[in-house]
């Protein structure tokens, strides 16, 4: 009798897709096209509501998915496009995006997006206090800040007074204010740190395991949470779609091509001699949105020198 050599196990390819017997059964939601289709299209408002509830730790009655393009004040302004933008029933605006590449600007990027979103909540001539609360959420597939937790929240907060001469002797009757405003809030979810955790608990962890495509954890989460089970089935159904698989393979080929260019550039970098030649090479790489660490490695310029070149462009 011929031995059956068929593999009846799940395995991951380099792009993070789950394969079963060599066929794609799950494209992870770390891919922005899958993330948008699972959480950011009309008809899937419930999916987004459940994800936001797990991140924000609030109850959401309902929400409306809006156009993800941020309105420009002037025609020459930088265009901003988030992955997902939603308006909650109470008027709160929430944006969610998946950021896989570390472009060394996540703080500035989120500040830009939240400011654009916040401005757009006001009509011309309206009083500032009518602006709606605005929340920017980004899931990063890399670690950027030196923080202990994988989910961190940033707000506009007052610093403690460090100059004794400025402290008013008279005590406050109430608790001292901590926030400049409670209408701006940024959530950063570090998936790279989350991956390093051996045992994860809680509803947010269940959603992150689903987004990452961690099959064993998804199975257990689906058994105890029907919301996870529903989105899991949608993820698998979308992953079996030929158009979605084509998107995935095209993206993987683009990544392969970019890595090949980096490899060639690295070899050429060994022949780059003068400072001027290094700066010229670095500018070309910046134009292709290559990461500063990669440019640093290839050209041997410092991060400060590369950032200065970027600012001059």
């Amino acid at each position: 009798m011929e031995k059956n050599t068929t593999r009846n196990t799940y395995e991951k390819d380099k792009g993070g897709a789950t394969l079963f017997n060599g066929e794609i059964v799950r494209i992870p939601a770390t891919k922005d096209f899958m993330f948008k289709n699972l959480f950011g299209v009309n008809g899937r408002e419930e999916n987004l509501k459940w994800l936001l509830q797990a991140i924000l730790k609030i109850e959401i009655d309902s929400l409306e998915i809006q156009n993800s393009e941020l309105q420009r004040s002037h025609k020459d302004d930088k265009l901003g496009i988030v992955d997902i933008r939603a308006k909650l029933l109470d008027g709160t605006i929430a944006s969610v995006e998946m950021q896989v590449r570390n472009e060394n600007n996540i703080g500035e990027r989120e500040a830009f997006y939240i400011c654009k979103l916040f401005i757009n909540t006001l009509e011309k001539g309206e009083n500032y206090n009518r602006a709606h609360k605005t929340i920017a959420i980004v899931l990063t597939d890399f670690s950027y800040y030196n923080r202990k937790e994988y989910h961190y929240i940033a707000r506009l907060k007052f610093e403690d007074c460090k100059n004794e001469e400025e402290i008013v002797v008279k005590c406050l009757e109430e608790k001292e204010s901590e926030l400049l405003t409670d209408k701006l809030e940024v959530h950063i979810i570090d998936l790279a740190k989350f991956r390093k955790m051996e045992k994860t608990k809680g509803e947010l962890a269940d959603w992150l395991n689903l987004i990452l495509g961690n099959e064993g954890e998804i199975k257990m989460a689906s058994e105890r949470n029907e919301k996870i089970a529903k989105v899991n089935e949608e993820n698998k159904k979308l992953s079996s779609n030929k158009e979605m698989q084509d998107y995935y393979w095209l993206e993987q080929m683009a990544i392969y091509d970019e890595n090949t260019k980096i490899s060639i550039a690295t070899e050429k970098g060994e022949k780059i001699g003068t400072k001027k030649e290094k700066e010229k090479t670095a500018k070309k790489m910046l134009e292709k949105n290559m990461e500063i660490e990669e440019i640093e490695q290839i050209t041997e310029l410092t991060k400060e020198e590369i950032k200065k070149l970027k600012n001059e462009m």
Side-chain angles (χ1 to χ4, degrees):
M1 179 180 286
E2 188 176 310
K3 187 177 180 181
N4 186 358
T5 58
T6 302
R7 296 169 295 169
N8 291 309
T9 57
Y10 291 113
E11 57 184 350
K12 294 274 190 181
D13 71 2
K14 289 183 179 179
T18 302
L19 309 179
F20 187 76
N21 293 340
E23 299 291 328
I24 290 179
V25 293
R26 185 191 306 280
I27 298 171
T30 49
K31 302 298 180 184
D32 61 355
F33 62 88
M34 178 59 73
F35 188 72
K36 290 176 186 177
N37 273 277
L38 267 183
F39 300 104
V41 297
N42 291 324
R44 294 203 168 99
E45 289 85 356
E46 287 284 286
N47 296 0
L48 180 58
K49 184 182 85 168
W50 296 331
L51 177 62
L52 288 178
Q53 286 183 155
I55 295 171
L56 302 176
K57 307 292 188 293
I58 60 172
E59 286 295 322
I60 298 173
D61 293 321
S62 64
L63 57 79
E64 168 195 348
I65 294 174
Q66 298 186 319
N67 182 356
S68 59
E69 184 174 308
L70 306 183
Q71 184 178 343
R72 304 188 201 203
S73 300
H74 304 283
K75 65 181 179 68
D76 295 329
D77 284 354
K78 181 176 175 64
L79 178 65
I81 301 176
V82 293
D83 287 344
I84 301 168
R85 178 168 68 165
K87 184 177 182 179
L88 280 53
L89 187 62
D90 66 358
T92 296
I93 300 296
S95 71
V96 192
E97 62 168 333
M98 179 67 62
Q99 186 68 13
V100 175
R101 286 175 59 97
N102 182 4
E103 297 179 354
N104 295 287
N105 62 2
I106 200 68
E108 293 78 9
R109 180 188 179 93
E110 292 312 302
F112 172 81
Y113 283 136
I114 198 169
C115 288
K116 292 280 280 188
L117 287 163
F118 189 58
I119 291 168
N120 289 343
T121 66
L122 278 175
E123 298 293 334
K124 187 176 181 180
E126 272 193 303
N127 194 300
Y128 292 120
N129 61 18
R130 292 184 63 84
H132 292 292
K133 183 172 183 176
T134 305
I135 304 170
I137 302 166
V138 59
L139 292 85
T140 66
D141 208 12
F142 53 85
S143 294
Y144 187 76
Y145 292 101
N146 186 22
R147 305 281 303 177
K148 293 178 181 178
E149 68 272 32
Y150 69 82
H151 174 199
Y152 27 100
I153 305 167
R155 298 185 177 95
L156 283 175
K157 304 181 77 171
F158 291 104
E159 289 189 6
D160 292 332
C161 184
K162 295 179 174 61
N163 189 338
E164 294 292 329
E165 294 177 358
E166 296 178 5
I167 295 176
V168 181
V169 176
K170 185 179 178 181
C171 295
L172 293 172
E173 294 180 2
E174 298 178 356
K175 185 179 178 183
E176 190 174 26
S177 300
E178 293 182 355
L179 298 177
L180 177 67
T181 176
D182 63 354
K183 290 188 175 181
L184 293 174
E185 189 172 298
V186 176
H187 290 249
I188 300 175
I189 298 174
D190 187 331
L191 296 175
K193 284 180 183 170
F194 179 78
R195 277 195 179 95
K196 294 176 182 177
M197 299 177 66
E198 293 183 3
K199 294 182 180 179
T200 56
K201 295 180 180 179
E203 188 177 6
L204 177 56
D206 288 344
W207 284 104
L208 297 184
N209 279 315
L210 174 61
I211 287 168
L212 289 168
N214 295 331
E215 297 300 333
E217 288 80 0
I218 293 171
K219 185 176 184 297
M220 291 187 289
S222 296
E223 290 171 354
R224 61 176 176 264
N225 188 329
E226 61 183 16
K227 299 169 187 174
I228 297 282
K230 175 182 177 293
V231 181
N232 176 37
E233 289 305 314
E234 291 178 1
N235 187 188
K236 290 193 290 186
K237 186 175 180 180
L238 283 167
S239 298
S240 67
N241 180 284
K242 184 182 183 301
E243 185 178 358
M244 296 293 278
Q245 292 190 4
D246 287 344
Y247 270 129
Y248 178 75
W249 292 124
L250 283 170
E251 185 176 291
Q252 290 309 110
M253 286 194 61
I255 293 170
Y256 174 79
D257 289 344
E258 183 176 340
N259 289 339
T260 301
K261 288 176 184 176
I262 291 170
S263 178
I264 293 170
T266 303
E267 291 176 9
K268 288 183 177 179
E270 294 173 1
K271 300 174 185 178
I272 297 172
T274 68
K275 180 82 174 285
K276 191 173 181 180
E277 288 172 333
K278 291 179 179 181
E279 289 176 347
K280 186 178 178 181
T281 302
K283 284 182 179 179
K284 288 181 180 179
M285 293 177 178
L286 285 168
E287 287 172 0
K288 295 182 180 297
N289 293 319
M290 288 176 62
E291 294 185 17
I292 287 177
E293 285 85 355
E294 295 168 341
I295 300 172
E296 182 185 22
Q297 181 182 1
I298 292 167
T299 65
E300 296 182 346
L301 293 173
T302 66
K303 286 182 182 178
E304 290 70 26
E305 288 172 327
I306 297 166
K307 286 178 181 178
K308 184 180 177 182
L309 290 172
K310 187 175 184 179
N311 292 332
E312 292 172 354
M313 292 173 66

